Amino acid sequence: MSECTHVPELPRPEPAPHALTCPECEAMGSHPVQLRLCLWCGHVGCCDSSPHRHATAHYLETGHPVMRSFEPGETWRWCFVDASIV
C-alpha cells in the first residue's frame, strides 16, 4: 500500500455511512455486487463489478478521492485520483 496525498486530507474520524447498501441500486431495484464507502462524506455505492458502478459515479460527480471497501472483514482503501490502493 502507498500513501497518496489525499489520505492526510480525509476527515477524522471516518464519516458514518449514510446507508447500509447502495441507495441508487436500491431505488432502481438493482442488486449491488460489492459496496464501497466514500471516506470523505459517507456515501455508500456499489463497485465497478456492479452494473451501475455507483461508487465510481459518486467520485466523478463529487471529486471525493478516497473510498474503502464496505464489505465485512475488508479494510482496504482506494484512491481514484492516484488509481492505487492506499
Side-chain angles (χ1 to χ4, degrees):
M1 285 192 258
S2 63
E3 194 76 6
C4 74
T5 60
H6 305 100
V7 169
E9 299 172 359
L10 292 173
R12 307 269 193 244
E14 180 179 289
H18 291 177
L20 297 177
T21 190
C22 177
E24 291 92 344
C25 281
E26 191 169 50
M28 300 171 84
S30 182
H31 180 70
V33 175
Q34 300 239 336
L35 298 173
R36 309 295 183 235
L37 175 69
C38 174
L39 292 179
W40 196 262
C41 72
H43 175 268
V44 176
C46 58
C47 78
D48 286 356
S49 295
S50 293
H52 304 288
R53 304 174 61 195
H54 289 120
T56 295
H58 176 75
Y59 160 67
L60 294 172
E61 291 170 13
T62 64
H64 296 165
V66 183
M67 64 87 181
R68 74 163 173 83
S69 174
F70 195 53
E71 293 298 312
E74 295 183 5
T75 59
W76 59 269
R77 302 178 297 182
W78 176 261
C79 178
F80 287 101
V81 176
D82 296 322
S84 67
I85 293 177
V86 295

